[in-house]
Amino acid sequence: MSGRSAGSGSRRRARLTARWRQAGRTSRRLLIAGAVITVGFALVALLAPLLAPYGQAAHDAPQLAHPGAAHLFGTTNLRFDVLSRVIFGARLAFEVVLASTAFALVLGVPLGLVSGYSGGRLDRVLVLVMDALYAFPSLLLAIVAAFALQRWVGPGVPAAALSISVIYIPQYFRVVRNHTLAVREEPFVDAARAMGAPRRVIIVRYVAANVLQSVPVIFTINAADAVLTLAALGFLGYGVPLRTAEWGFDIGNAISDVGTGAWWTSLFPGLAIVGLVTGMSLLGEGVNDVLNPRLRAAGMTSDVTLPLLDPEGAPPPEGSEDGPPAPEGVERELSRSIRAIGFDPAPPEPPAEGVPALLVGDVSVTYRSARGPVRAVEGVTLAVGAGESVGLVGESGCGKSTLGRAVLGVLPAVAERSGRVVLDGVDLTADAEAWRRARGDRLSLVFQDPATRLDPLQRVESHFVELIRAHRPGTSKAAAARQGRETLAAVGVPPDRARQYPHEFSGGMRQRIMIALAVVLEPRVLVADEPTTSLDVLVEAQILDLLTDLRRRLGLAVVLITHNLGIVAETCDRVAVMYAGRIVEEGPVAAVFAAPRHPYTQALLGAVITLETQAPAAVPGSPPDLAGPLPGCPFAPRCPLAMTTCHDVVPVLTPAGSAHTAACHLYPGADPAHPAQAWEPAGRRLRLAEPPLAGTLR
Amino acid sequence: MSGTTRRNGSPLVAISDLEVHFPIRRGFGGRKAVVRAVDGVSLEVLAGETLGLVGESGSGKTTLGRAMLRLVEPTAGRVEFEGRDITGLDEKQLRPLRRRMQPVFQDPHAALNPAMTIGDAVAHPLLIQRLAPDRAAARAQAAAMLERVGIAPAGPFLDRYPEDLSGGQKQRIVLARALVTGPSLVVADEPVAMLDMSVRALVLDLMAGLQRELGLTYVLITHDLATARLLCDRVAVMYLGRVVEIGPADRVLTEPRHPYTRALLDAVPRVDPAAAGRARPVLPGEVPDATRIPGGCRFHPRCPEAFAPCGPDGIDPALGTVTAAGPGRTVEVACHLWNPPTPSDRS
């Protein structure tokens, strides 16, 4: 890497500091403990000649003397001073760990990079060799290497380090190669190729720079292992020569002493091994935790290649929805959405007259984050009747996906919810068990990306059997499979494909399967979160038609979360526009789209690019930071019509048209201190019929 | 945008009979198959125009764009850039041409190297192309280009990393990186698809302005017909590796000739409240597997208007002129409805 300026360095530091603060208290404490132990051993190793009362090779002490004033830890049968041997052993351990890691890094990392980036025959041969080494029992491999190296190189630190590094070269190679394979496909590598960068430059500046982030983690984890391997080699007599102090060798030598009651010759070197290995492991895991918060969030700690596989595992960035805060892995997501969770099928109670299928009552969701609480959803109230569909729209980060998850009760652990979710008159927030039973049954969900929500190892049919039998335990497998096939046929998937695996289906077919799974138990409420965003326009049209058809036939209440206003216009009855976690306008689609009242809705509609658009207008500015205080209307800083009140008083939803409501001070009643007596048209309203925002394309 | 850009009518890129096929192996030791991603495309990109490549995923539009930049190797056919055949050149011979043709990618979050500062990311092409004597000079030029794309003042951004920036900002930086070497051709693959609706207009507006100022030629790859209509002078509609209709955007996207173009247009959701709840014809099925391309017209299994010559044993329709109106104004369609097959085609 060419030299970075001081500014970028401090930014890096700031990022590390932030990660440090995000790390839990326990992992911070463990990391500190590990660092203290490891640094302590390192100091002892460094200052060994000063600290040790005797030389490591001085064997003129009395044989097997008890611990005492002259020999604090006693002496061995070979007349060594145990304390001096333990102190010098630390020095050797560090020498060997550092040297073996250096060897492994120097060989494993470049090989992994070149192999992964170039591919082809070289890659196949290297992978074969490395896999063979990896498959070999590691200690045996080290012994073979040590045996050979002691002949050719002669016994000593280099031979021991090299023989241990043979174990780690394949590890570095594999991790670096796999990471390289993934990075190689990134568009920024294509960009580097397109600028004519030579292969060497691409590998060093674009691939290695990103791949090497995982190396410190492997290093810290391997270091502890290397100490153990060295001790094992020494114990078995394949380590360093006799005169060099080495814990494993000393323990091996002390075996015969145990019978004679000389406990000190084995205890102290043993404690030293346990101490250093514990310290290094704690340090390694701790560093791993801090550097890879996603691993921690996913509840996994050791597999360093995982961050690539878990793009969604990050803790929630401030209110962002593009990476939905999902600390659970795909697996758990699956079990939440598809695999049913309940076992006691409560017979669906007939809904009372006039009770909406879904009632969201004053729901707020707050994420805990490093920068303080992030208010992702703020006091949302929404009712959806049977057979009705409500579109939830807004920019990313406005809280629509979080609201969807809150309705399902599948918020991540860092979220806190208040308010009520009522399904057919039953308050689910008061009864966790009822909520659990309802999920996948009367309350179901369709996600954006069907590929990650189906279990790749299960046939499509098994998904249905598992789901149905979990919620309806009495159902036979055959009956459940039949019901699955019928539902598949109803959504346009040929039922004879039910025994195929998810990967054998196209994206559109997979989304049909997801919808079939969502409706097979005849839910009352379906939450669809960007159900067509990853699909092509023709398939999108098919899926939307299917959802509309099912809604009408089954009397489903649908909450459709989307950024696409066109989809809402074509498929929803009502629309709720969200901004900064609140609903700012709500009403029948026709009314809201024909005469949007809230300046934000007007701006959103003005920004839509249609086939007829001549000059689209962007919405200036960006949504507010939900971690900070929002004293007035959250849209005020971007609003072309903002007045003084807007910056001080939070507007509430108030009638703003014949059939709809808006939270905007342009309409009487928006100030909670002055509720509207009755709706009267405001003079300003007329000027607002056209989107007032400028910024044209020309 | 249509008609406002200066065109001189001469082709900047000329593609003839281009094929990009990928061999794949199916399953465990399974049989080999060939994905015919681009399967016989001939078209020209005129200097100063914006040519849209539209179609569903699997239509081959992205692969065609990558082949124009030689980011994938064509299996057959040729690509001429600025009058020079680039298909046979090796990477070294290609390097001086690369500064004249640049990509812009769909996902701005993945298009920037997370380990490189903004300043270095935009300066690096200059150093590679030896257009700046040293890093400091390259960064100064990079800063000027960043300000041109609206990252102004650029100073505070130079030492920041991409992860600190919003999607819209990142896409501006990707644009700056593409433009800093002074290209004539920019191939933009879904440049706004990943951006919020609220900032799309800003980025499209910026792209249109830069095109006017710098005399750029754009190839805009998009599945969004509305974006294509707004930004493109001409569009080429692709299906299963072929161009099925090509012509001026204001004609192809208002009076579609090919049944596939019509189906695509019908499927675009309208915001028009009058259209709410309207039933619209929806084309059934999906784009078939590009390893098993149907015989005859490759669209016939989904085509609502297929007739005898289109069928599996029928004739593969070639692009034929429907209305000729000079360079850049001609509409060509590959459909037997518009260009009935003649007996000689059967040979």
Side-chain angles (χ1 to χ4, degrees):
Chain A
M1 289 283 84
S2 57
R4 287 192 201 293
S5 66
S8 67
S10 66
R11 202 156 267 285
R12 274 269 149 99
R13 271 198 299 282
R15 221 179 316 161
L16 278 181
T17 321
R19 285 188 178 164
W20 170 252
R21 272 196 234 107
Q22 277 169 13
R25 180 176 292 179
T26 316
S27 54
R28 268 189 278 174
R29 282 188 182 157
L30 290 179
L31 175 54
I32 292 172
V36 167
I37 296 173
T38 310
V39 169
F41 271 96
L43 283 176
V44 167
L46 210 63
L47 305 174
L50 299 178
L51 292 176
Y54 304 94
Q56 59 173 321
H59 54 124
D60 45 6
Q63 201 174 12
L64 284 178
H66 277 266
H71 300 283
L72 280 175
F73 286 5
T75 63
T76 73
N77 58 356
L78 295 175
R79 297 172 182 276
F80 290 123
D81 174 57
V82 175
L83 176 60
S84 306
R85 293 285 286 187
V86 167
I87 289 173
F88 277 103
R91 174 169 252 205
L92 182 84
F94 272 94
E95 280 172 3
V96 172
V97 166
L98 291 176
S100 66
T101 315
F103 285 139
L105 276 174
V106 163
L107 283 167
V109 170
L111 281 180
L113 278 169
V114 171
S115 186
Y117 186 76
S118 308
R121 186 165 297 172
L122 174 76
D123 183 47
R124 282 202 293 275
V125 170
L126 278 172
V127 167
L128 204 67
V129 171
M130 294 294 174
D131 279 355
L133 285 178
Y134 203 72
F136 216 73
S138 62
L139 187 58
L140 207 55
L141 185 66
I143 290 173
V144 171
F147 193 72
L149 285 166
Q150 282 183 359
R151 284 211 162 162
W152 295 327
V153 186
V157 170
L162 264 177
S163 48
I164 292 173
S165 71
V166 171
I167 303 174
Y168 300 117
I169 290 171
Q171 293 189 12
Y172 285 102
F173 172 84
R174 277 163 58 119
V175 169
V176 169
R177 175 182 171 271
N178 289 348
H179 208 148
T180 302
L181 283 180
V183 170
R184 188 180 69 170
E185 304 301 323
E186 293 283 347
F188 64 78
V189 173
D190 267 345
R193 289 177 58 208
M195 65 179 77
R199 202 173 73 146
R200 181 178 43 82
V201 174
I202 296 179
I203 291 183
V204 172
R205 295 220 48 194
Y206 289 82
V207 180
N210 290 293
V211 166
L212 293 186
Q213 289 167 352
S214 53
V215 167
V217 176
I218 327 176
F219 168 64
T220 50
I221 289 169
N222 280 353
D225 197 43
V227 173
L228 278 179
T229 309
L230 174 67
L233 280 181
F235 183 83
L236 295 169
Y238 296 100
V240 287
L242 169 70
R243 302 214 160 197
T244 321
E246 196 275 307
W247 299 331
F249 174 79
D250 284 1
I251 293 176
N253 205 36
I255 285 182
S256 54
D257 301 343
V258 177
T260 67
W263 48 269
W264 57 90
T265 50
S266 51
L267 178 71
F268 293 111
L271 281 180
I273 294 175
V274 171
L276 181 56
V277 168
T278 308
M280 284 182 159
S281 301
L282 289 177
L283 182 64
E285 296 292 345
V287 168
N288 195 358
D289 262 11
V290 173
L291 287 184
N292 295 304
R294 286 182 285 196
L295 285 184
R296 181 181 58 241
M300 306 166 198
T301 44
S302 55
D303 192 342
V304 286
T305 57
L306 256 163
L308 286 173
L309 301 175
D310 189 16
E312 288 193 343
E318 44 282 7
S320 144
E321 305 188 322
D322 280 345
E328 62 271 279
V330 169
E331 204 53 37
R332 218 173 307 166
E333 196 70 64
L334 262 173
S335 62
R336 280 188 163 170
S337 62
I338 306 168
R339 293 189 192 148
I341 313 140
F343 296 98
D344 181 19
E349 304 140 42
E353 278 299 308
V355 172
L358 174 70
L359 179 69
V360 175
D362 197 23
V363 164
S364 296
V365 180
T366 305
Y367 289 116
R368 291 187 299 275
S369 86
R371 301 181 307 117
V374 173
R375 313 206 52 136
V377 173
E378 180 89 40
V380 167
T381 296
L382 191 69
V384 189
E388 187 182 37
S389 86
V390 174
L392 220 50
V393 301
E395 287 167 282
S396 26
C398 65
K400 27 185 218 304
S401 287
T402 299
L403 181 60
R405 284 171 171 270
V407 168
L408 264 295
V410 291
L411 286 166
V414 292
E416 276 164 30
R417 175 198 43 79
S418 65
R420 298 188 309 146
V421 175
V422 183
L423 178 69
D424 274 340
V426 178
D427 187 351
L428 297 177
T429 39
D431 185 351
E433 183 59 23
W435 210 346
R436 196 175 59 75
R437 274 200 314 266
R439 268 197 297 272
D441 189 344
R442 289 190 300 148
L443 182 59
S444 64
L445 180 63
V446 174
F447 288 103
Q448 170 172 346
D449 187 1
T452 59
R453 310 291 175 181
L454 291 165
D455 183 344
L457 299 178
Q458 279 202 53
R459 295 176 198 278
V460 165
E461 189 181 75
S462 325
H463 286 89
F464 285 91
V465 171
E466 204 176 316
L467 174 75
I468 295 169
R469 280 164 55 90
H471 283 279
R472 310 273 187 272
T475 320
S476 72
K477 274 191 183 174
R482 195 166 53 244
Q483 197 178 345
R485 280 161 195 267
E486 282 165 9
T487 314
L488 283 173
V491 301
V493 178
D496 55 348
R497 296 188 65 184
R499 292 194 54 79
Q500 290 183 319
Y501 289 92
H503 75 265
E504 298 177 75
F505 292 86
S506 67
M509 278 294 171
R510 273 191 288 235
Q511 193 59 295
R512 286 173 191 268
I513 294 167
M514 283 304 303
I515 291 172
L517 279 166
V519 301
V520 67
L521 292 173
E522 306 205 350
R524 295 279 293 149
V525 174
L526 177 73
V527 178
D529 190 353
E530 302 275 7
T532 59
T533 302
S534 59
L535 304 175
D536 274 307
V537 64
L538 286 170
V539 181
E540 172 179 273
Q542 296 168 3
I543 297 291
L544 292 174
D545 280 4
L546 171 66
L547 279 176
T548 305
D549 180 50
L550 287 172
R551 170 164 66 88
R552 298 215 172 109
R553 276 198 289 158
L554 304 176
L556 271 177
V558 174
V559 178
L560 181 69
I561 298 167
T562 179
H563 67 279
N564 189 329
L565 297 175
I567 290 178
V568 172
E570 292 207 341
T571 61
C572 293
D573 303 313
R574 287 191 300 134
V575 59
V577 181
M578 285 190 74
Y579 187 75
R582 308 140 203 238
I583 291 180
V584 297
E585 181 157 3
E586 204 256 284
V589 163
V592 172
F593 279 39
R597 301 302 183 189
H598 196 288
Y600 180 62
T601 314
Q602 296 170 355
L604 267 189
L605 280 167
V608 174
I609 298 169
T610 69
L611 283 165
E612 289 77 30
T613 302
Q614 299 292 319
V619 188
S622 46
D625 181 357
L626 298 177
L630 295 168
C633 169
F635 188 61
R638 301 171 78 184
C639 183
L641 304 171
M643 308 169 287
T644 328
T645 337
C646 304
H647 296 284
D648 304 329
V649 182
V650 178
V652 295
L653 283 170
T654 184
S658 52
H660 64 286
T661 55
C664 176
H665 287 301
L666 293 172
Y667 308 100
D671 185 342
H674 306 284
Q677 296 304 313
W679 164 243
E680 46 184 297
R684 274 207 182 79
R685 192 164 63 94
L686 298 172
R687 284 204 283 125
L688 283 171
E690 286 297 307
L693 297 179
T696 64
L697 196 67
R698 229 137 264 278
Chain B
M1 213 71 36
S2 331
T4 55
T5 47
R6 201 160 30 81
R7 282 192 296 267
N8 60 20
S10 66
L12 182 74
V13 183
I15 292 166
S16 39
D17 303 319
L18 192 74
E19 286 180 7
V20 185
H21 293 177
F22 302 107
I24 55 161
R25 198 183 277 276
R26 281 174 187 279
F28 195 67
R31 66 207 150 76
K32 283 181 182 170
V34 173
V35 177
R36 290 148 72 181
V38 175
D39 199 30
V41 167
S42 301
L43 57 79
E44 290 182 340
V45 186
L46 306 181
E49 78 168 345
T50 299
L51 173 70
L53 299 180
V54 302
E56 291 170 281
S57 33
S59 65
K61 55 190 195 301
T62 292
T63 307
L64 179 59
R66 288 169 62 83
M68 283 186 206
L69 298 172
R70 265 290 298 275
L71 289 174
V72 290
E73 296 300 319
T75 332
R78 52 194 273 148
V79 177
E80 279 175 36
F81 174 70
E82 293 182 338
R84 189 164 169 201
D85 183 3
I86 61 166
T87 27
L89 303 184
D90 66 30
E91 196 53 47
K92 235 182 197 133
Q93 295 168 305
L94 213 48
R95 194 161 301 152
L97 290 173
R98 289 226 179 263
R99 60 173 283 253
R100 308 273 303 147
M101 47 188 204
Q102 281 291 309
V104 169
F105 299 99
Q106 167 172 9
D107 182 356
H109 310 285
L112 290 169
N113 184 352
M116 227 182 218
T117 61
I118 305 308
D120 285 339
V122 181
H124 203 216
L126 293 168
L127 293 171
I128 285 171
Q129 292 286 343
R130 301 209 167 84
L131 296 170
D134 54 36
R135 182 164 171 262
R139 279 168 68 96
Q141 282 187 50
M145 184 49 79
L146 282 169
E147 294 190 349
R148 196 150 188 180
V149 299
I151 303 287
F157 286 89
L158 291 181
D159 289 320
R160 291 172 74 176
Y161 284 89
E163 68 171 20
D164 302 335
L165 306 177
S166 72
Q169 285 173 322
K170 283 185 211 176
Q171 198 59 303
R172 286 168 189 273
I173 291 158
V174 170
L175 269 171
R177 180 182 62 191
L179 298 179
V180 75
T181 56
S184 55
L185 173 69
V186 173
V187 178
D189 192 348
E190 303 277 14
V192 296
M194 301 277 286
L195 301 180
D196 239 311
M197 211 58 98
S198 54
V199 296
R200 282 185 190 182
L202 286 175
V203 172
L204 292 176
D205 193 17
L206 173 69
M207 285 181 65
L210 289 166
Q211 179 173 43
R212 276 194 304 273
E213 291 166 31
L214 304 173
L216 301 171
T217 302
Y218 284 142
V219 171
L220 179 74
I221 298 164
T222 180
H223 70 281
D224 180 16
L225 299 182
T227 307
R229 173 85 177 84
L230 187 67
L231 212 63
C232 295
D233 299 297
R234 288 195 304 144
V235 292
V237 182
M238 292 189 67
Y239 187 77
L240 266 185
R242 283 277 177 84
V243 172
V244 297
E245 181 162 0
I246 183 170
D250 52 5
R251 308 206 37 198
V252 171
L253 299 180
T254 51
E255 29 175 337
R257 305 282 199 314
H258 198 285
Y260 180 62
T261 314
R262 200 174 319 136
L264 282 180
L265 279 165
D266 282 341
V268 177
R270 315 275 158 146
V271 190
D272 181 9
R278 134 192 102 92
R280 50 186 176 168
V282 173
L283 194 71
E286 295 176 34
V287 182
D289 186 350
T291 60
R292 276 168 295 184
I293 289 179
C297 172
R298 50 194 69 201
F299 183 60
H300 85 264
R302 300 175 75 191
C303 185
E305 299 182 56
F307 61 118
C310 312
D313 304 316
I315 302 153
D316 192 1
L319 274 178
T321 303
V322 176
T323 53
R329 298 296 302 165
T330 305
V331 177
E332 291 176 275
V333 179
C335 176
H336 295 316
L337 290 171
W338 298 89
N339 301 297
T342 56
S344 63
D345 288 339
R346 296 203 174 269
S347 54

